[in-house]
Each structure stands twice: as structure tokens, then as C-alpha cells.
Amino acid sequence: MTKDPEFCFACGAGLTRDDIGMYRKAVNRSAEECLCLDCLAKKYNTTRAFFEEKIEMLKSRGCSLFF
Ligand SMILES: [Zn+2]
């Protein structure tokens, strides 16, 4: 079981379960350092809304990274 990080390693923002789940889904399933949605969006040159939509979709499918 990997440890959940508390803060974004780029900007220091507090991380939610969703931020962590999305980072692990997008970057590395067992990441112990994660980015908040804003920094993740920057990294992929997209918007926070893009990931928020993805999170809702993954949750509706019961993705284990979000529960
Ligand atoms: Zn951040």
C-alpha cells in the first residue's frame, strides 16, 4: 500500500483524494509524490476542467483509485 502525499510537490497546495487519484491514473499508479489538478493540467498543457471531467467519469466506473 502506497502512502498518500498531503501536498502538491510543485506548488504546495493541499491535495484531495481526487487530486491524488487523478495523478496516479495519469502518471504513475504508485506515485508517492503527486501534483494538484492545476499543476497536473499545466504539465499536460490542458485545463483543470479536463481532469475534473475525467475524475467524474472514472468515479462513475468505480475506479479503485478514487475510493
Ligand atoms: Zn500544485
Side-chain angles (χ1 to χ4, degrees):
M1 196 61 195
T2 47
K3 196 170 156 295
D4 286 346
E6 281 181 68
F7 303 102
C8 170
F9 67 77
C11 75
L15 295 174
T16 66
R17 188 80 218 133
D18 288 355
D19 296 330
I20 296 167
M22 192 62 245
Y23 184 87
R24 286 186 173 150
K25 188 82 189 173
V27 181
N28 169 8
R29 260 190 113 77
S30 57
E32 292 194 15
E33 280 193 315
C34 297
L35 290 170
C36 66
L37 283 188
D38 290 318
C39 293
L40 191 64
K42 252 182 246 166
K43 179 178 161 76
Y44 285 99
N45 217 357
T46 181
T47 60
R48 186 189 169 88
F50 171 82
F51 284 114
E52 282 172 345
E53 229 170 82
K54 252 191 152 36
I55 288 169
E56 287 317 307
M57 189 192 77
L58 290 164
K59 277 184 175 170
S60 71
R61 288 191 194 159
C63 177
S64 63
L65 285 169
F66 295 95
F67 297 98

CSV table of all heavy atoms in Angstrom, one decimal:
chain,number,residue,atom,x,y,z
A,1,MET,N,0.9,-1.2,0.0
A,1,MET,CA,0.0,0.0,0.0
A,1,MET,C,0.9,1.2,0.0
A,1,MET,O,1.8,1.4,0.9
A,1,MET,CB,-0.9,0.0,1.3
A,1,MET,CG,-2.1,0.9,1.2
A,1,MET,SD,-3.2,0.5,-0.1
A,1,MET,CE,-4.2,2.0,-0.2
A,2,THR,N,0.7,2.1,-0.9
A,2,THR,CA,1.5,3.3,-1.0
A,2,THR,C,0.9,4.4,-0.1
A,2,THR,O,-0.3,4.4,0.2
A,2,THR,CB,1.5,3.9,-2.4
A,2,THR,OG1,0.2,3.9,-3.0
A,2,THR,CG2,2.4,3.1,-3.3
A,3,LYS,N,1.8,5.3,0.4
A,3,LYS,CA,1.4,6.4,1.3
A,3,LYS,C,0.8,7.5,0.4
A,3,LYS,O,1.3,7.9,-0.6
A,3,LYS,CB,2.7,6.8,2.0
A,3,LYS,CG,2.4,7.6,3.2
A,3,LYS,CD,3.8,7.8,4.0
A,3,LYS,CE,3.8,9.0,4.8
A,3,LYS,NZ,3.7,10.3,4.1
A,4,ASP,N,-0.3,8.1,0.9
A,4,ASP,CA,-0.8,9.3,0.2
A,4,ASP,C,-0.1,10.5,0.6
A,4,ASP,O,0.0,10.9,1.8
A,4,ASP,CB,-2.3,9.4,0.6
A,4,ASP,CG,-3.2,8.4,-0.1
A,4,ASP,OD1,-2.7,7.7,-1.0
A,4,ASP,OD2,-4.3,8.2,0.3
A,5,PRO,N,0.4,11.3,-0.4
A,5,PRO,CA,1.0,12.6,-0.1
A,5,PRO,C,-0.1,13.6,0.4
A,5,PRO,O,-1.2,13.5,0.0
A,5,PRO,CB,1.6,13.0,-1.4
A,5,PRO,CG,0.8,12.3,-2.4
A,5,PRO,CD,0.3,11.0,-1.8
A,6,GLU,N,0.4,14.6,1.1
A,6,GLU,CA,-0.6,15.6,1.6
A,6,GLU,C,-0.6,16.9,0.8
A,6,GLU,O,-1.5,17.6,0.7
A,6,GLU,CB,-0.2,16.0,3.0
A,6,GLU,CG,-0.7,15.0,4.1
A,6,GLU,CD,-0.4,15.5,5.5
A,6,GLU,OE1,-1.0,16.4,5.9
A,6,GLU,OE2,0.5,14.8,6.1
A,7,PHE,N,0.6,17.1,0.2
A,7,PHE,CA,0.7,18.4,-0.6
A,7,PHE,C,1.3,18.2,-2.0
A,7,PHE,O,2.1,17.3,-2.2
A,7,PHE,CB,1.7,19.4,0.2
A,7,PHE,CG,1.2,19.6,1.6
A,7,PHE,CD1,1.8,19.0,2.7
A,7,PHE,CD2,0.1,20.5,1.8
A,7,PHE,CE1,1.3,19.3,3.9
A,7,PHE,CE2,-0.3,20.8,3.1
A,7,PHE,CZ,0.3,20.1,4.2
A,8,CYS,N,0.9,19.1,-2.9
A,8,CYS,CA,1.4,19.1,-4.3
A,8,CYS,C,2.9,19.4,-4.2
A,8,CYS,O,3.3,20.3,-3.5
A,8,CYS,CB,0.7,20.2,-5.0
A,8,CYS,SG,1.4,20.6,-6.6
A,9,PHE,N,3.7,18.6,-4.9
A,9,PHE,CA,5.2,18.8,-4.8
A,9,PHE,C,5.7,20.0,-5.7
A,9,PHE,O,6.8,20.4,-5.6
A,9,PHE,CB,6.0,17.5,-5.1
A,9,PHE,CG,5.9,17.0,-6.5
A,9,PHE,CD1,6.6,17.6,-7.6
A,9,PHE,CD2,5.2,15.9,-6.8
A,9,PHE,CE1,6.6,17.1,-8.9
A,9,PHE,CE2,5.1,15.4,-8.1
A,9,PHE,CZ,5.8,16.0,-9.2
A,10,ALA,N,4.8,20.6,-6.5
A,10,ALA,CA,5.2,21.7,-7.3
A,10,ALA,C,4.8,23.0,-6.6
A,10,ALA,O,5.6,23.9,-6.5
A,10,ALA,CB,4.5,21.6,-8.7
A,11,CYS,N,3.5,23.1,-6.2
A,11,CYS,CA,3.1,24.4,-5.6
A,11,CYS,C,2.7,24.4,-4.1
A,11,CYS,O,2.5,25.4,-3.5
A,11,CYS,CB,1.8,24.9,-6.4
A,11,CYS,SG,0.3,24.0,-6.0
A,12,GLY,N,2.7,23.2,-3.5
A,12,GLY,CA,2.5,23.1,-2.1
A,12,GLY,C,1.0,23.1,-1.7
A,12,GLY,O,0.7,23.1,-0.5
A,13,ALA,N,0.1,23.1,-2.6
A,13,ALA,CA,-1.3,23.1,-2.3
A,13,ALA,C,-1.7,21.8,-1.6
A,13,ALA,O,-1.1,20.8,-1.9
A,13,ALA,CB,-2.2,23.3,-3.6
A,14,GLY,N,-2.7,21.8,-0.8
A,14,GLY,CA,-3.2,20.6,-0.1
A,14,GLY,C,-3.9,19.7,-1.2
A,14,GLY,O,-4.5,20.2,-2.1
A,15,LEU,N,-3.6,18.4,-1.1
A,15,LEU,CA,-4.2,17.5,-2.1
A,15,LEU,C,-5.5,16.8,-1.6
A,15,LEU,O,-5.5,16.4,-0.4
A,15,LEU,CB,-3.2,16.4,-2.4
A,15,LEU,CG,-1.9,16.9,-3.1
A,15,LEU,CD1,-0.9,15.7,-3.2
A,15,LEU,CD2,-2.2,17.5,-4.5
A,16,THR,N,-6.4,16.7,-2.5
A,16,THR,CA,-7.6,15.9,-2.1
A,16,THR,C,-7.4,14.5,-2.7
A,16,THR,O,-6.5,14.2,-3.5
A,16,THR,CB,-8.9,16.5,-2.8
A,16,THR,OG1,-8.7,16.4,-4.2
A,16,THR,CG2,-9.0,18.0,-2.4
A,17,ARG,N,-8.3,13.6,-2.3
A,17,ARG,CA,-8.3,12.2,-2.8
A,17,ARG,C,-8.4,12.2,-4.3
A,17,ARG,O,-7.8,11.4,-4.9
A,17,ARG,CB,-9.6,11.6,-2.1
A,17,ARG,CG,-9.8,10.1,-2.3
A,17,ARG,CD,-8.9,9.3,-1.3
A,17,ARG,NE,-8.5,8.2,-2.1
A,17,ARG,CZ,-7.2,7.7,-2.1
A,17,ARG,NH1,-6.3,8.2,-1.4
A,17,ARG,NH2,-6.9,6.7,-2.8
A,18,ASP,N,-9.2,13.2,-4.8
A,18,ASP,CA,-9.3,13.2,-6.3
A,18,ASP,C,-8.0,13.6,-7.0
A,18,ASP,O,-7.7,13.1,-8.0
A,18,ASP,CB,-10.4,14.3,-6.7
A,18,ASP,CG,-11.8,13.8,-6.3
A,18,ASP,OD1,-12.0,12.6,-5.9
A,18,ASP,OD2,-12.8,14.6,-6.5
A,19,ASP,N,-7.3,14.6,-6.4
A,19,ASP,CA,-6.1,15.0,-7.0
A,19,ASP,C,-5.1,13.9,-7.1
A,19,ASP,O,-4.5,13.6,-8.1
A,19,ASP,CB,-5.4,16.1,-6.1
A,19,ASP,CG,-6.2,17.4,-6.0
A,19,ASP,OD1,-6.9,17.7,-7.0
A,19,ASP,OD2,-6.1,18.1,-5.0
A,20,ILE,N,-5.0,13.2,-6.0
A,20,ILE,CA,-4.1,12.0,-5.9
A,20,ILE,C,-4.5,10.9,-6.8
A,20,ILE,O,-3.6,10.4,-7.6
A,20,ILE,CB,-4.0,11.5,-4.4
A,20,ILE,CG1,-3.5,12.6,-3.5
A,20,ILE,CG2,-3.2,10.3,-4.3
A,20,ILE,CD1,-3.7,12.3,-2.0
A,21,GLY,N,-5.8,10.6,-6.8
A,21,GLY,CA,-6.2,9.5,-7.7
A,21,GLY,C,-6.0,9.9,-9.2
A,21,GLY,O,-5.5,9.0,-10.0
A,22,MET,N,-6.2,11.1,-9.6
A,22,MET,CA,-6.0,11.5,-11.0
A,22,MET,C,-4.5,11.5,-11.3
A,22,MET,O,-4.2,11.0,-12.4
A,22,MET,CB,-6.6,12.9,-11.2
A,22,MET,CG,-6.7,13.3,-12.6
A,22,MET,SD,-7.8,12.2,-13.6
A,22,MET,CE,-6.7,11.5,-14.7
A,23,TYR,N,-3.7,12.0,-10.4
A,23,TYR,CA,-2.3,11.9,-10.7
A,23,TYR,C,-1.8,10.5,-10.9
A,23,TYR,O,-1.0,10.2,-11.8
A,23,TYR,CB,-1.5,12.6,-9.6
A,23,TYR,CG,0.0,12.7,-9.8
A,23,TYR,CD1,0.5,13.8,-10.5
A,23,TYR,CD2,0.9,11.7,-9.4
A,23,TYR,CE1,1.9,13.9,-10.8
A,23,TYR,CE2,2.2,11.7,-9.7
A,23,TYR,CZ,2.7,12.8,-10.4
A,23,TYR,OH,4.1,12.9,-10.7
A,24,ARG,N,-2.2,9.6,-10.0
A,24,ARG,CA,-1.8,8.2,-10.1
A,24,ARG,C,-2.3,7.6,-11.4
A,24,ARG,O,-1.6,6.8,-12.0
A,24,ARG,CB,-2.3,7.5,-8.9
A,24,ARG,CG,-1.4,7.8,-7.7
A,24,ARG,CD,-1.8,7.0,-6.5
A,24,ARG,NE,-0.8,7.3,-5.4
A,24,ARG,CZ,-1.1,7.2,-4.1
A,24,ARG,NH1,-2.3,6.8,-3.8
A,24,ARG,NH2,-0.2,7.5,-3.2
A,25,LYS,N,-3.5,7.9,-11.8
A,25,LYS,CA,-4.1,7.4,-13.0
A,25,LYS,C,-3.3,7.9,-14.2
A,25,LYS,O,-3.0,7.1,-15.1
A,25,LYS,CB,-5.6,7.8,-13.1
A,25,LYS,CG,-6.3,7.2,-14.2
A,25,LYS,CD,-6.8,5.8,-13.8
A,25,LYS,CE,-7.4,5.1,-15.0
A,25,LYS,NZ,-7.7,3.7,-14.6
A,26,ALA,N,-3.0,9.2,-14.2
A,26,ALA,CA,-2.4,9.8,-15.4
A,26,ALA,C,-0.9,9.5,-15.5
A,26,ALA,O,-0.3,9.4,-16.5
A,26,ALA,CB,-2.6,11.3,-15.4
A,27,VAL,N,-0.2,9.5,-14.3
A,27,VAL,CA,1.3,9.5,-14.3
A,27,VAL,C,1.8,8.1,-13.9
A,27,VAL,O,2.6,7.5,-14.6
A,27,VAL,CB,1.8,10.6,-13.5
A,27,VAL,CG1,3.4,10.6,-13.5
A,27,VAL,CG2,1.3,11.9,-13.9
A,28,ASN,N,1.5,7.7,-12.7
A,28,ASN,CA,2.1,6.6,-12.1
A,28,ASN,C,1.2,6.0,-11.0
A,28,ASN,O,1.0,6.7,-10.0
A,28,ASN,CB,3.5,7.0,-11.6
A,28,ASN,CG,4.2,5.9,-10.7
A,28,ASN,OD1,3.7,4.8,-10.6
A,28,ASN,ND2,5.3,6.3,-10.1
A,29,ARG,N,0.7,4.8,-11.1
A,29,ARG,CA,-0.2,4.2,-10.2
A,29,ARG,C,0.3,4.2,-8.7
A,29,ARG,O,-0.5,4.2,-7.8
A,29,ARG,CB,-0.5,2.8,-10.6
A,29,ARG,CG,-1.8,2.6,-11.3
A,29,ARG,CD,-2.1,1.2,-11.5
A,29,ARG,NE,-3.3,0.8,-10.8
A,29,ARG,CZ,-4.6,1.1,-11.1
A,29,ARG,NH1,-4.8,1.8,-12.2
A,29,ARG,NH2,-5.6,0.8,-10.4
A,30,SER,N,1.6,4.1,-8.5
A,30,SER,CA,2.1,4.0,-7.2
A,30,SER,C,2.8,5.2,-6.7
A,30,SER,O,3.7,5.2,-5.8
A,30,SER,CB,2.9,2.8,-7.0
A,30,SER,OG,3.9,2.8,-7.9
A,31,ALA,N,2.6,6.4,-7.4
A,31,ALA,CA,3.3,7.6,-7.0
A,31,ALA,C,3.1,8.0,-5.6
A,31,ALA,O,2.0,7.9,-5.1
A,31,ALA,CB,2.8,8.7,-7.9
A,32,GLU,N,4.2,8.4,-4.9
A,32,GLU,CA,4.1,8.8,-3.5
A,32,GLU,C,4.2,10.3,-3.4
A,32,GLU,O,4.1,10.9,-2.4
A,32,GLU,CB,5.1,8.1,-2.7
A,32,GLU,CG,4.8,6.6,-2.5
A,32,GLU,CD,5.5,5.9,-1.4
A,32,GLU,OE1,6.1,6.6,-0.6
A,32,GLU,OE2,5.5,4.7,-1.5
A,33,GLU,N,4.5,11.0,-4.6
A,33,GLU,CA,4.5,12.4,-4.7
A,33,GLU,C,3.6,12.8,-5.8
A,33,GLU,O,3.6,12.2,-6.9
A,33,GLU,CB,5.9,12.9,-5.1
A,33,GLU,CG,6.9,13.0,-4.0
A,33,GLU,CD,8.1,13.8,-4.4
A,33,GLU,OE1,8.6,13.5,-5.5
A,33,GLU,OE2,8.6,14.6,-3.6
A,34,CYS,N,2.6,13.7,-5.5
A,34,CYS,CA,1.6,14.0,-6.5
A,34,CYS,C,1.5,15.5,-6.8
A,34,CYS,O,1.9,16.3,-6.0
A,34,CYS,CB,0.3,13.4,-6.1
A,34,CYS,SG,0.2,11.6,-5.9
A,35,LEU,N,0.9,15.8,-7.9
A,35,LEU,CA,0.6,17.2,-8.2
A,35,LEU,C,-0.9,17.4,-8.0
A,35,LEU,O,-1.7,16.5,-8.2
A,35,LEU,CB,0.9,17.4,-9.7
A,35,LEU,CG,2.4,17.4,-10.1
A,35,LEU,CD1,2.5,17.4,-11.6
A,35,LEU,CD2,3.1,18.6,-9.5
A,36,CYS,N,-1.2,18.7,-7.7
A,36,CYS,CA,-2.7,19.1,-7.6
A,36,CYS,C,-3.2,19.2,-9.0
A,36,CYS,O,-2.4,19.1,-10.0
A,36,CYS,CB,-2.8,20.4,-6.9
A,36,CYS,SG,-2.1,21.8,-7.8
A,37,LEU,N,-4.5,19.3,-9.2
A,37,LEU,CA,-5.1,19.3,-10.5
A,37,LEU,C,-4.6,20.5,-11.4
A,37,LEU,O,-4.4,20.3,-12.6
A,37,LEU,CB,-6.6,19.4,-10.4
A,37,LEU,CG,-7.3,18.1,-10.1
A,37,LEU,CD1,-8.8,18.3,-10.3
A,37,LEU,CD2,-6.9,16.9,-11.0
A,38,ASP,N,-4.3,21.6,-10.7
A,38,ASP,CA,-3.8,22.8,-11.5
A,38,ASP,C,-2.5,22.5,-12.1
A,38,ASP,O,-2.2,22.8,-13.3
A,38,ASP,CB,-3.8,24.0,-10.6
A,38,ASP,CG,-5.2,24.5,-10.3
A,38,ASP,OD1,-6.1,24.5,-11.2
A,38,ASP,OD2,-5.4,24.9,-9.1
A,39,CYS,N,-1.6,21.9,-11.3
A,39,CYS,CA,-0.2,21.6,-11.8
A,39,CYS,C,-0.2,20.5,-12.8
A,39,CYS,O,0.5,20.5,-13.7
A,39,CYS,CB,0.7,21.3,-10.6
A,39,CYS,SG,1.0,22.8,-9.6
A,40,LEU,N,-1.1,19.5,-12.6
A,40,LEU,CA,-1.2,18.4,-13.5
A,40,LEU,C,-1.7,18.9,-14.9
A,40,LEU,O,-1.2,18.5,-15.9
A,40,LEU,CB,-2.2,17.4,-12.9
A,40,LEU,CG,-2.2,16.0,-13.6
A,40,LEU,CD1,-0.9,15.3,-13.5
A,40,LEU,CD2,-3.3,15.1,-13.1
A,41,ALA,N,-2.7,19.8,-14.8
A,41,ALA,CA,-3.2,20.4,-16.1
A,41,ALA,C,-2.1,21.2,-16.8
A,41,ALA,O,-2.0,21.1,-18.0
A,41,ALA,CB,-4.4,21.4,-15.8
A,42,LYS,N,-1.3,21.9,-16.1
A,42,LYS,CA,-0.1,22.6,-16.7
A,42,LYS,C,0.8,21.7,-17.3
A,42,LYS,O,1.3,21.8,-18.5
A,42,LYS,CB,0.6,23.4,-15.6
A,42,LYS,CG,0.4,24.9,-15.7
A,42,LYS,CD,1.2,25.7,-14.7
A,42,LYS,CE,0.2,26.4,-13.7
A,42,LYS,NZ,0.9,26.9,-12.5
A,43,LYS,N,1.1,20.6,-16.6
A,43,LYS,CA,2.1,19.6,-17.1
A,43,LYS,C,1.6,19.0,-18.4
A,43,LYS,O,2.4,18.8,-19.3
A,43,LYS,CB,2.2,18.5,-16.0
A,43,LYS,CG,3.1,17.3,-16.4
A,43,LYS,CD,3.1,16.3,-15.2
A,43,LYS,CE,3.6,15.0,-15.6
A,43,LYS,NZ,5.1,14.9,-15.8
A,44,TYR,N,0.3,18.8,-18.6
A,44,TYR,CA,-0.2,18.2,-19.8
A,44,TYR,C,-0.8,19.3,-20.7
A,44,TYR,O,-1.4,18.9,-21.7
A,44,TYR,CB,-1.3,17.2,-19.5
A,44,TYR,CG,-0.7,15.9,-19.0
A,44,TYR,CD1,-0.6,15.6,-17.6
A,44,TYR,CD2,-0.1,15.0,-19.8
A,44,TYR,CE1,0.0,14.5,-17.1
A,44,TYR,CE2,0.5,13.8,-19.4
A,44,TYR,CZ,0.5,13.6,-18.0
A,44,TYR,OH,1.1,12.4,-17.5
A,45,ASN,N,-0.5,20.5,-20.4
A,45,ASN,CA,-0.9,21.6,-21.3
A,45,ASN,C,-2.4,21.6,-21.6
A,45,ASN,O,-2.9,21.7,-22.7
A,45,ASN,CB,-0.2,21.5,-22.6
A,45,ASN,CG,0.2,22.9,-23.1
A,45,ASN,OD1,-0.2,23.9,-22.6
A,45,ASN,ND2,0.9,22.9,-24.2
A,46,THR,N,-3.2,21.3,-20.5
A,46,THR,CA,-4.6,21.3,-20.6
A,46,THR,C,-5.3,22.1,-19.5
A,46,THR,O,-4.6,22.9,-18.8
A,46,THR,CB,-5.1,19.8,-20.7
A,46,THR,OG1,-6.5,19.8,-20.9
A,46,THR,CG2,-4.8,19.0,-19.5
A,47,THR,N,-6.5,21.9,-19.2
A,47,THR,CA,-7.2,22.6,-18.2
A,47,THR,C,-7.6,21.7,-17.0
A,47,THR,O,-7.7,20.5,-17.2
A,47,THR,CB,-8.5,23.3,-18.7
A,47,THR,OG1,-9.4,22.2,-19.2
A,47,THR,CG2,-8.2,24.2,-19.9
A,48,ARG,N,-7.8,22.4,-15.9
A,48,ARG,CA,-8.3,21.7,-14.7
A,48,ARG,C,-9.6,21.0,-15.0
A,48,ARG,O,-9.9,19.9,-14.5
A,48,ARG,CB,-8.4,22.7,-13.6
A,48,ARG,CG,-8.8,22.2,-12.3
A,48,ARG,CD,-9.1,23.3,-11.3
A,48,ARG,NE,-9.6,22.7,-10.1
A,48,ARG,CZ,-8.9,22.3,-9.1
A,48,ARG,NH1,-7.6,22.5,-9.1
A,48,ARG,NH2,-9.5,21.7,-8.1
A,49,ALA,N,-10.5,21.7,-15.8
A,49,ALA,CA,-11.8,21.1,-16.1
A,49,ALA,C,-11.7,19.8,-16.8
A,49,ALA,O,-12.5,18.9,-16.6
A,49,ALA,CB,-12.6,22.1,-16.9
A,50,PHE,N,-10.7,19.7,-17.7
A,50,PHE,CA,-10.5,18.4,-18.4
A,50,PHE,C,-10.3,17.2,-17.4
A,50,PHE,O,-10.9,16.2,-17.6
A,50,PHE,CB,-9.2,18.6,-19.3
A,50,PHE,CG,-8.8,17.3,-19.9
A,50,PHE,CD1,-9.4,16.8,-21.1
A,50,PHE,CD2,-7.7,16.6,-19.4
A,50,PHE,CE1,-9.0,15.6,-21.7
A,50,PHE,CE2,-7.3,15.4,-20.0
A,50,PHE,CZ,-7.9,14.9,-21.1
A,51,PHE,N,-9.5,17.5,-16.4
A,51,PHE,CA,-9.3,16.4,-15.4
A,51,PHE,C,-10.5,16.2,-14.5
A,51,PHE,O,-10.7,15.1,-14.1
A,51,PHE,CB,-8.0,16.7,-14.6
A,51,PHE,CG,-6.8,16.4,-15.4
A,51,PHE,CD1,-5.9,17.5,-15.7
A,51,PHE,CD2,-6.4,15.1,-15.8
A,51,PHE,CE1,-4.8,17.2,-16.5
A,51,PHE,CE2,-5.3,14.9,-16.5
A,51,PHE,CZ,-4.4,15.9,-16.9
A,52,GLU,N,-11.2,17.3,-14.2
A,52,GLU,CA,-12.4,17.1,-13.3
A,52,GLU,C,-13.4,16.3,-14.0
A,52,GLU,O,-14.0,15.4,-13.4
A,52,GLU,CB,-12.9,18.5,-13.0
A,52,GLU,CG,-12.1,19.2,-11.9
A,52,GLU,CD,-12.5,20.7,-11.7
A,52,GLU,OE1,-13.2,21.2,-12.5
A,52,GLU,OE2,-12.1,21.2,-10.6
A,53,GLU,N,-13.5,16.4,-15.3
A,53,GLU,CA,-14.5,15.6,-16.1
A,53,GLU,C,-14.0,14.1,-16.1
A,53,GLU,O,-14.8,13.2,-15.9
A,53,GLU,CB,-14.5,16.1,-17.5
A,53,GLU,CG,-15.9,16.3,-18.1
A,53,GLU,CD,-15.8,17.0,-19.4
A,53,GLU,OE1,-15.5,16.4,-20.4
A,53,GLU,OE2,-15.9,18.3,-19.5
A,54,LYS,N,-12.7,14.0,-16.3
A,54,LYS,CA,-12.1,12.6,-16.3
A,54,LYS,C,-12.4,11.9,-14.9
A,54,LYS,O,-12.7,10.7,-14.9
A,54,LYS,CB,-10.6,12.7,-16.5
A,54,LYS,CG,-10.2,12.2,-17.9
A,54,LYS,CD,-8.7,12.1,-18.0
A,54,LYS,CE,-8.3,11.0,-19.0
A,54,LYS,NZ,-9.2,10.9,-20.2
A,55,ILE,N,-12.2,12.7,-13.8
A,55,ILE,CA,-12.4,12.1,-12.5
A,55,ILE,C,-13.9,11.6,-12.3
A,55,ILE,O,-14.1,10.5,-11.9
A,55,ILE,CB,-12.1,13.2,-11.4
A,55,ILE,CG1,-10.6,13.4,-11.4
A,55,ILE,CG2,-12.6,12.8,-10.1
A,55,ILE,CD1,-10.1,14.6,-10.5
A,56,GLU,N,-14.8,12.5,-12.8
A,56,GLU,CA,-16.2,12.1,-12.7
A,56,GLU,C,-16.5,10.8,-13.5
A,56,GLU,O,-17.2,9.9,-13.0
A,56,GLU,CB,-17.1,13.2,-13.2
A,56,GLU,CG,-17.2,14.4,-12.3
A,56,GLU,CD,-17.4,14.0,-10.8
A,56,GLU,OE1,-18.3,13.2,-10.5
A,56,GLU,OE2,-16.6,14.4,-10.0
A,57,MET,N,-15.9,10.7,-14.6
A,57,MET,CA,-16.0,9.5,-15.5
A,57,MET,C,-15.5,8.3,-14.8
A,57,MET,O,-16.1,7.2,-14.8
A,57,MET,CB,-15.4,9.8,-16.8
A,57,MET,CG,-15.7,8.7,-17.9
A,57,MET,SD,-14.5,8.9,-19.3
A,57,MET,CE,-13.0,8.2,-18.6
A,58,LEU,N,-14.3,8.5,-14.3
A,58,LEU,CA,-13.6,7.3,-13.6
A,58,LEU,C,-14.4,6.9,-12.4
A,58,LEU,O,-14.5,5.7,-12.1
A,58,LEU,CB,-12.2,7.7,-13.2
A,58,LEU,CG,-11.2,7.9,-14.4
A,58,LEU,CD1,-10.0,8.6,-14.0
A,58,LEU,CD2,-10.8,6.5,-15.0
A,59,LYS,N,-14.9,7.9,-11.6
A,59,LYS,CA,-15.7,7.5,-10.4
A,59,LYS,C,-16.9,6.8,-10.8
A,59,LYS,O,-17.3,5.8,-10.1
A,59,LYS,CB,-16.1,8.8,-9.7
A,59,LYS,CG,-15.0,9.3,-8.8
A,59,LYS,CD,-15.5,10.5,-8.1
A,59,LYS,CE,-14.6,11.1,-7.0
A,59,LYS,NZ,-15.0,12.4,-6.5
A,60,SER,N,-17.6,7.2,-11.9
A,60,SER,CA,-18.8,6.5,-12.3
A,60,SER,C,-18.5,5.1,-12.7
A,60,SER,O,-19.4,4.3,-12.7
A,60,SER,CB,-19.5,7.3,-13.4
A,60,SER,OG,-18.8,7.3,-14.6
A,61,ARG,N,-17.3,4.8,-13.1
A,61,ARG,CA,-16.9,3.5,-13.5
A,61,ARG,C,-16.4,2.7,-12.3
A,61,ARG,O,-16.0,1.5,-12.4
A,61,ARG,CB,-15.8,3.5,-14.5
A,61,ARG,CG,-16.2,3.9,-15.9
A,61,ARG,CD,-15.1,3.6,-16.8
A,61,ARG,NE,-15.2,4.3,-18.1
A,61,ARG,CZ,-14.2,4.5,-18.9
A,61,ARG,NH1,-13.0,4.1,-18.5
A,61,ARG,NH2,-14.4,5.1,-20.0
A,62,GLY,N,-16.4,3.4,-11.1
A,62,GLY,CA,-15.9,2.7,-9.9
A,62,GLY,C,-14.4,2.4,-9.8
A,62,GLY,O,-14.0,1.5,-9.2
A,63,CYS,N,-13.7,3.3,-10.5
A,63,CYS,CA,-12.2,3.2,-10.4
A,63,CYS,C,-11.7,3.2,-9.0
A,63,CYS,O,-12.0,4.1,-8.2
A,63,CYS,CB,-11.6,4.4,-11.2
A,63,CYS,SG,-9.8,4.3,-11.1
A,64,SER,N,-10.9,2.2,-8.7
A,64,SER,CA,-10.5,2.0,-7.3
A,64,SER,C,-9.5,3.1,-6.8
A,64,SER,O,-9.3,3.2,-5.6
A,64,SER,CB,-9.8,0.6,-7.2
A,64,SER,OG,-8.6,0.6,-8.0
A,65,LEU,N,-8.9,3.8,-7.7
A,65,LEU,CA,-8.0,4.9,-7.2
A,65,LEU,C,-8.7,6.0,-6.5
A,65,LEU,O,-8.1,6.8,-5.9
A,65,LEU,CB,-7.3,5.5,-8.5
A,65,LEU,CG,-6.2,4.6,-9.0
A,65,LEU,CD1,-5.7,5.1,-10.3
A,65,LEU,CD2,-5.0,4.5,-8.1
A,66,PHE,N,-10.1,6.1,-6.7
A,66,PHE,CA,-10.8,7.2,-6.1
A,66,PHE,C,-11.6,6.8,-4.8
A,66,PHE,O,-12.4,7.6,-4.3
A,66,PHE,CB,-11.7,7.8,-7.1
A,66,PHE,CG,-10.9,8.4,-8.2
A,66,PHE,CD1,-10.7,7.7,-9.4
A,66,PHE,CD2,-10.4,9.7,-8.1
A,66,PHE,CE1,-9.9,8.3,-10.4
A,66,PHE,CE2,-9.6,10.3,-9.1
A,66,PHE,CZ,-9.4,9.6,-10.3
A,67,PHE,N,-11.5,5.6,-4.4
A,67,PHE,CA,-12.2,5.2,-3.2
A,67,PHE,C,-11.4,4.6,-2.1
A,67,PHE,O,-10.2,4.3,-2.3
A,67,PHE,CB,-13.3,4.2,-3.6
A,67,PHE,CG,-14.3,4.8,-4.6
A,67,PHE,CD1,-14.2,4.6,-5.9
A,67,PHE,CD2,-15.3,5.6,-4.1
A,67,PHE,CE1,-15.1,5.1,-6.9
A,67,PHE,CE2,-16.2,6.2,-5.0
A,67,PHE,CZ,-16.1,5.9,-6.4
B,1,ZN,ZN,0.2,22.2,-7.5
